[in-house]
Amino acid sequence: MKKNVYLIILICGLMSISGYMPNQAVASGSYTARVYTDLLNVRSEPSLESTIVGALKNRELVTVSNDEHGWLRIKSDQLSGWVAGQYLKKVDGTVVTASATDQDSIVQKSSATTRATVLADSLRIRAGAGLSYKVLGGLTKGEAVTIMDNQEGWAKIQTADGQIGWVSDRYIVRGAKQTASASVSSGKSNGLKGKVIVIDPGHGGDDPGMIGMKHETIEKELNLTTSFYLEDELRNRGARVLMTRTKDEERPKLSDRVMISESAGADAFVSIHYNSSEKNTSGILTFFYSETKDQPLARAIENRLADGIGLKSNGISFGNLHVLRENDRVSTLVELGFLSNAKDESIVRGSSYQKKAAKAIAEGLEDYFSR
């Protein structure tokens, strides 16, 4: 009996020294991520040929513990396995767990202290998260609000005078309003700090865009995940970012994408796409419409993409495209690879490529505003 007691004490001591405790949090370096596609297959191994062990739904949270050639090892309450990394986005500032109770506290904690500025000339405050709810009041461009919660494209806000309600998050941008005196007094550009950048993930909803020839990669989904990486890059550099869509099922009209840019008084509009051709074409191409208004931005972004992100740059080109032609704001459209080219498709599917592309575009924007 004594031997058993001593053995138990010894095991407990070793567990304490080693730091191991059963059923505890996952390894350091792990993080929480959210699914951004309607249905995401979970596989037994990081390969398309491996067995499907289950599926994750859009907006579901998982814990990511490993990255291997664009595949991410995940764990949820029900499943564990490997998924294509392009369909996940890291949730910043969260603890490393995917339990339901922690998910709720994460959202509320992160959003409770977030400040935002109204970008639309007139923005209605509603009683709930949807157009069917009663209008409680309104906001005007430049007013500051506090974001308390987020729900499917709507933000619960509190105004300066204490009114609480819901507004469309398309027409607000997170971050404090920049004062004119701050930039003037410095006598020089602050790069992206305070700049309003509109990111336009191309296609969406029932318009998938291009479909990959080898892996059947869906362009609209790549556009969205790449745009989220770009959003993170820009926010980290001090920009105020607005997205023309944030969900896979959304498909804003081309005119609406332009309207968002113009209503926000955007300093720059960047549309994200992936390309296709009947020829075996490869690489990146950046479009502009106006030589005086748009070409300098296209050139600045192309210069950074040409530094080397995994695919060659084909330079810049004139594009008679609605989101550029009808846009009064400085704008460009970037095609980040050809889904009709098997090699390109294999490369662009990886999260590492998309992150490099996002960083290069952000650096190009920074160069443009620092001229």
Side-chain angles (χ1 to χ4, degrees):
M1 180 68 178
K2 279 187 176 181
K3 286 183 179 180
N4 289 339
V5 172
Y6 290 143
L7 183 59
I8 291 170
I9 292 171
L10 177 61
I11 291 171
C12 291
L14 289 171
M15 287 168 62
S16 176
I17 293 169
S18 67
Y20 170 77
M21 291 298 286
N23 300 323
Q24 224 172 22
V26 295
S28 61
S30 298
Y31 57 90
T32 303
R34 191 184 298 279
V35 176
Y36 282 96
T37 187
D38 291 338
L39 201 64
L40 180 58
N41 287 332
V42 181
R43 297 180 180 272
S44 59
E45 301 293 338
S47 167
L48 284 173
E49 285 71 43
S50 61
T51 305
I52 296 174
V53 297
L56 299 168
K57 295 180 180 179
N58 190 29
R59 310 291 295 177
E60 193 170 344
L61 287 177
V62 297
T63 298
V64 178
S65 60
N66 198 10
D67 186 338
E68 187 172 313
H69 303 298
W71 290 85
L72 299 179
R73 186 173 185 84
I74 62 92
K75 184 175 182 180
S76 69
D77 290 338
Q78 313 276 332
L79 284 170
S80 64
W82 294 84
V83 299
Q86 68 205 54
Y87 301 115
L88 294 184
K89 183 193 173 189
K90 184 176 180 180
V91 179
D92 292 331
T94 63
V95 295
V96 184
T97 178
S99 67
T101 53
D102 283 336
Q103 288 173 15
D104 292 341
S105 63
I106 288 165
V107 172
Q108 292 170 8
K109 183 178 180 181
S110 64
S111 62
T113 57
T114 301
R115 298 285 289 171
T117 304
V118 177
L119 295 175
D121 292 333
S122 178
L123 182 61
R124 291 177 176 178
I125 304 172
R126 295 183 180 272
L131 292 172
S132 60
Y133 288 92
K134 179 182 176 182
V135 175
L136 302 178
L139 296 163
T140 57
K141 187 173 183 178
E143 284 194 66
V145 297
T146 300
I147 299 177
M148 305 171 67
D149 197 1
N150 289 276
Q151 183 177 315
E152 299 298 324
W154 291 81
K156 186 177 183 180
I157 58 95
Q158 183 172 15
T159 66
D161 58 7
Q163 184 178 18
I164 294 174
W166 292 82
V167 298
S168 171
D169 66 5
R170 282 188 179 181
Y171 303 107
I172 59 173
V173 65
R174 286 157 180 76
K177 183 180 179 183
Q178 184 188 38
T179 59
S181 60
S183 57
V184 172
S185 63
S186 67
K188 61 180 182 179
S189 169
N190 290 320
L192 282 170
K193 188 174 182 181
K195 300 297 184 185
V196 176
I197 311 297
V198 173
I199 304 173
D200 173 40
H203 306 287
D206 59 0
D207 174 16
M210 306 304 175
I211 306 294
M213 297 296 289
K214 183 177 180 180
H215 302 288
E216 296 187 349
T217 306
I218 301 174
E219 185 198 351
K220 67 169 183 173
E221 296 174 352
L222 277 187
N223 295 341
L224 189 58
T225 54
T226 304
S227 294
F228 282 132
Y229 289 130
L230 178 56
E231 177 188 22
D232 290 341
E233 282 284 346
L234 294 174
R235 289 195 193 283
N236 289 338
R237 296 165 193 263
R240 296 186 286 156
V241 183
L242 198 61
M243 303 269 284
T244 61
R245 69 180 180 98
T246 58
K247 294 184 288 185
D248 179 65
E249 59 268 26
E250 290 180 333
R251 184 192 176 186
K253 295 178 181 177
L254 296 178
S255 57
D256 288 340
R257 297 171 197 252
V258 172
M259 183 190 69
I260 291 169
S261 174
E262 294 180 346
S263 296
D267 294 294
F269 171 96
V270 181
S271 191
I272 302 297
H273 286 258
Y274 287 81
N275 218 334
S276 180
S277 173
E278 292 182 0
K279 300 177 181 179
N280 193 32
T281 313
S282 171
I284 301 161
L285 189 58
T286 305
F287 287 97
F288 65 91
Y289 179 75
S290 166
E291 288 188 6
T292 54
K293 177 173 68 73
D294 305 328
Q295 189 176 23
L297 174 61
R299 176 63 70 191
I301 289 175
E302 186 273 337
N303 284 341
R304 287 292 185 168
L305 290 170
D307 282 345
I309 64 169
L311 290 177
K312 69 175 182 178
S313 170
N314 293 309
I316 65 174
S317 179
F318 170 79
N320 188 16
L321 306 166
H322 184 102
V323 294
L324 307 184
R325 183 183 65 248
E326 304 300 323
N327 205 328
D328 289 340
R329 315 308 299 178
V330 175
S331 53
T332 186
L333 185 148
V334 184
E335 299 275 8
L336 290 168
F338 283 80
L339 295 181
S340 53
N341 181 297
K343 183 180 177 182
D344 278 24
E345 184 188 4
S346 296
I347 291 172
V348 303
R349 285 167 54 84
S351 59
S352 61
Y353 174 84
Q354 294 174 55
K355 289 175 184 177
K356 288 176 186 176
K359 183 179 179 183
I361 293 169
E363 288 173 343
L365 281 159
E366 204 161 45
D367 292 343
Y368 170 80
F369 289 116
S370 299
R371 295 177 303 164

